[in-house]
Amino acid sequence: MVQRVAIIGAGVSGLASIKCCLDEGLEPTCFERSDDIGGLWKFTEHAEEGRASIYRSVFTNSCKEMMCFPDFPFPDDFPNYMHNSKLQEYIRMYAKHFALLRYIKFKTMVSSIKKRPDFPVTGQWDVITKQDGKEESAVFDAVMVCSGHHVYPNFPVDCFPGLRTFKGSYFHSREYKEPEKFKGKRVLVIGLGNSGSDIAVELSHTASQVYLSSRSGSWVMSRVWDNGYPWDMLTVTRFETFLRDTLPTSVSDWLYVRRMNKWFKHENYGLMPLNRTSRKEPVFNDDLPSRITCGTVVVKPNVKEFTETSAIFQDGTVQENVDFVIFATGYSYSYPFMEDNAIIKCRDNEVTLYKGILPPRLEKPTMAVIGLVQSLGAIIPTSDLQARWAIRVFKGLYKLPPVNDMMEDIDEKMGKKLKWYGQSNTLQTDYISYMDELASAIGVKPNFPLLFLTDPRLALEVYFGPCSPYQFCLMGPGKWDGARNAILTQWDRTLKATRTRVVHDSQKHFPVLNLLRILALPLLLLAVFLMFN
């Protein structure tokens, strides 16, 4: 019987796991190698080995109503998108409210996790930790790995001939903190992701010139969407998911490309992705098009090679006198504390997890990896639901299928990822489909027939409105009495953050006319398709 649970890391995934353990009557012990909670969102002046690192100016890409813990909304006066320090403030409020700090051992590094000799019978783990030079060993009934995937940089130095002879400075973006040292310099940023775009835009105000190199391009989105509402509150909806899954692929792809080009025509800015219909995560940056059109950021193709002072690009163009090269080339995921890496990477050295959480070949299902996913949804509610699912598995309240069935499910998901995102081993997944899959398994997915019969106002908001985290606390294990009210007032909290000057307006914040406009085009296309088939 699982009782004692070791949790590795006190970031948002670790904190969610602690709380979920407590809700289910388990005894969590969380090991955090630093002296504070927050994980990725805890800013430090210098990058530290074995810890995630962010730059000073990082803001969230998900709005507060879509990224909160499902039973703990952000305060009304918090901005919709917030600076990392503001998010860290919220994380501390969450930990204090639910009294989670007492379960965390700070400045404690996990050096080894391995199965006990009797694991096939007990499912127990030996966890060895180090604190102040002292090593301790303890036995746990289950382990939740919450160490994140923004720690170990992907730094492809050998993929760029001549880089080692380059006389300027080059480093990974995890080392970047602020722009002052780059004043008057020529900077090349390699990688058109969120970090690369943020850094290029920030440096464009101080550097003499910034070049942004991209191998395959990317869609770029603004956080501010139609009528000034947060992008995710308008696009991450159950109805949107229904349309995407129901419409013919050609129609769905056309609508997707049309929407992504609505802000500006990407082709005219050199940003058009090679595979324009891929649902690969877009870049969120409100300023990049402006900096490109002002000439302070110049978009370039992939770098072919370096000389001592210049970069030669794939199209044959050369940029002379480059002072700095910043590699915003992402991260790889690693678990150095695992004695047997094959537990998590059980096939072709790739992470192979059932439901993105559970190693499928364990004799006893007593290990979970929390937060090792990416989607258009936020990581906080995703990790929370993953933790709830995992703990139900630990307690035997959710029965797993046979190993072969779990492997087949993993293969099926990898096939879908190849279709939607262009690669099968990506961490990316469809947010609503994934959340509903986990929620259905543990009985917390909203019951729509019942909702439409008993509470039609709530049902309409849940189905056509944003798929906010509160939806997964309406019923079942982890039910929160405040969930209904949180859903029905989420637009009020969104507007309160921006309506800081009172303007009299007779129009409601999200009128029915707006909903009809959203529905009109897709329904018209669907009608045309049905008429000709």
Side-chain angles (χ1 to χ4, degrees):
M1 190 71 179
V2 169
Q3 191 63 33
R4 301 185 68 231
V5 181
I7 297 170
I8 318 303
V12 294
S13 297
L15 294 175
S17 297
I18 295 172
K19 180 181 178 296
C20 291
C21 283
L22 296 173
D23 289 345
E24 292 284 351
L26 304 184
E27 301 171 12
T29 301
C30 179
F31 301 103
E32 168 56 46
R33 66 182 296 162
S34 74
D35 60 356
D36 201 357
I37 60 175
L40 173 69
W41 295 102
K42 168 64 177 176
F43 173 79
T44 56
E45 295 288 345
H46 305 283
E48 300 175 8
E49 183 182 356
R51 292 197 62 231
S53 175
I54 57 174
Y55 36 97
R56 188 182 298 277
S57 60
V58 166
F59 278 76
T60 63
N61 291 329
S62 297
C63 74
K64 66 179 182 180
E65 293 301 314
M66 300 295 281
M67 72 173 297
C68 63
F69 290 99
D71 55 356
F72 194 72
F74 280 89
D76 291 2
D77 59 346
F78 271 44
N80 289 319
Y81 298 100
M82 61 199 74
H83 186 257
N84 61 83
S85 60
K86 201 70 174 175
L87 180 57
Q88 181 71 354
E89 181 183 341
Y90 167 76
I91 292 170
R92 290 199 177 103
M93 291 167 59
Y94 175 79
K96 180 179 179 180
H97 180 79
F98 292 106
L100 305 181
L101 294 180
R102 70 183 72 174
Y103 301 97
I104 304 173
K105 293 188 175 183
F106 291 105
K107 296 184 178 181
T108 304
M109 185 178 74
V110 176
S111 56
S112 173
I113 298 176
K114 60 183 177 182
K115 297 177 182 177
R116 288 184 57 78
D118 58 356
F119 183 87
V121 177
T122 65
Q124 291 181 325
W125 301 84
D126 282 321
V127 177
I128 299 175
T129 59
K130 291 181 180 178
Q131 184 182 40
D132 298 329
K134 297 179 181 179
E135 190 171 271
E136 292 185 7
S137 178
V139 177
F140 289 91
D141 301 314
V143 173
M144 303 179 79
V145 179
C146 306
S147 52
H149 54 92
H150 292 93
V151 176
Y152 303 99
N154 174 35
F155 200 175
V157 174
D158 295 333
C159 295
F160 294 90
L163 182 61
R164 297 187 188 279
T165 65
F166 177 64
K167 290 186 176 180
S169 297
Y170 62 91
F171 55 91
H172 192 271
S173 58
R174 81 182 304 269
E175 304 290 335
Y176 175 83
K177 292 295 178 179
E178 47 196 5
E180 282 71 20
K181 67 182 278 189
F182 303 93
K183 186 176 182 179
K185 304 296 183 181
R186 292 176 177 266
V187 183
L188 169 61
V189 180
I190 296 179
L192 180 58
N194 286 313
S195 295
S197 299
D198 281 352
I199 292 170
V201 165
E202 183 167 75
L203 290 179
S204 70
H205 295 281
T206 55
S208 65
Q209 186 63 62
V210 177
Y211 303 92
L212 180 57
S213 169
S214 174
R215 180 176 56 187
S216 56
S218 177
W219 294 115
V220 179
M221 288 175 59
S222 172
R223 295 176 178 88
V224 182
W225 209 244
D226 294 347
N227 297 319
Y229 292 110
W231 74 269
D232 38 355
M233 292 191 74
L234 295 183
T235 63
V236 184
T237 74
R238 295 180 179 279
F239 181 70
E240 288 273 344
T241 301
F242 165 76
L243 283 180
R244 188 203 65 200
D245 294 341
T246 304
L247 290 173
T249 301
S250 58
V251 176
S252 176
D253 287 347
W254 179 79
L255 286 171
Y256 178 73
V257 172
R258 183 176 181 272
R259 165 179 278 178
M260 300 307 284
N261 262 328
K262 184 178 180 180
W263 184 23
F264 66 95
K265 191 174 182 180
H266 284 63
E267 185 179 359
N268 293 345
Y269 287 72
L271 296 169
M272 178 70 78
L274 293 178
N275 183 357
R276 63 184 63 194
T277 61
S278 169
R279 268 45 171 194
K280 180 182 175 184
E281 183 180 8
V283 168
F284 292 93
N285 196 293
D286 304 304
D287 303 312
L288 182 59
S290 172
R291 305 313 295 168
I292 293 172
T293 203
C294 289
T296 54
V297 173
V298 176
V299 179
K300 303 293 289 184
N302 198 30
V303 175
K304 181 181 179 182
E305 62 179 308
F306 287 92
T307 68
E308 290 184 351
T309 59
S310 63
I312 303 172
F313 298 95
Q314 292 286 0
D315 61 359
T317 57
V318 180
Q319 180 52 54
E320 302 283 356
N321 302 318
V322 176
D323 298 301
F324 290 93
V325 180
I326 302 175
F327 284 83
T329 45
Y331 293 83
S332 57
Y333 25 93
S334 179
Y335 303 95
F337 46 77
M338 292 296 298
E339 287 283 311
D340 183 3
N341 268 317
I343 292 175
I344 295 176
K345 298 184 177 183
C346 71
R347 187 172 60 183
D348 300 328
N349 202 36
E350 292 181 356
V351 171
T352 311
L353 300 170
Y354 180 61
K355 305 298 185 189
I357 303 170
L358 192 81
R361 299 192 187 278
L362 286 176
E363 300 94 327
K364 295 286 185 179
T366 56
M367 173 173 281
V369 181
I370 307 299
L372 191 63
V373 291
Q374 285 179 306
S375 72
L376 282 182
I379 191 61
I380 290 177
T382 305
S383 293
D384 180 88
L385 193 53
Q386 284 185 321
R388 291 159 71 185
W389 182 90
I391 290 168
R392 304 295 282 182
V393 172
F394 291 166
K395 296 183 68 175
L397 298 174
Y398 174 69
K399 185 174 174 58
L400 294 171
V403 172
N404 287 340
D405 290 353
M406 288 193 281
M407 296 303 295
E408 287 177 6
D409 182 79
I410 292 169
D411 289 337
E412 180 185 348
K413 298 293 194 315
M414 292 179 77
K416 289 181 178 179
K417 289 179 178 183
L418 183 63
K419 174 184 175 183
W420 284 100
Y421 310 118
Q423 56 186 115
S424 61
N425 61 345
T426 178
L427 297 181
Q428 197 165 346
T429 189
D430 179 75
Y431 178 68
I432 294 179
S433 299
Y434 180 67
M435 295 288 277
D436 277 353
E437 187 176 353
L438 295 180
S440 295
I442 61 173
V444 299
K445 180 184 176 182
N447 185 331
F448 285 102
L450 183 62
L451 270 185
F452 274 106
L453 286 172
T454 60
D455 197 339
R457 181 189 173 198
L458 178 62
L460 287 170
E461 187 66 31
V462 168
Y463 191 76
F464 291 103
C467 185
S468 47
Y470 321 117
Q471 294 191 11
F472 302 102
C473 285
L474 285 169
M475 56 182 293
K479 179 181 177 181
W480 175 46
D481 291 339
R484 181 184 185 275
N485 183 64
I487 292 170
L488 296 179
T489 57
Q490 56 196 356
W491 290 105
D492 298 326
R493 287 189 298 279
T494 300
L495 289 174
K496 185 169 183 178
T498 55
R499 285 190 171 179
T500 53
R501 170 176 166 264
V502 177
V503 177
H504 296 291
D505 185 359
S506 60
Q507 196 177 47
K508 296 291 184 181
H509 58 256
F510 194 63
V512 174
L513 270 177
N514 279 0
L515 180 60
L516 292 177
R517 278 175 46 209
I518 293 171
L519 300 181
L521 179 61
L523 290 178
L524 178 61
L525 290 170
L526 181 58
V528 171
F529 171 76
L530 294 175
M531 187 169 58
F532 286 100
N533 287 273

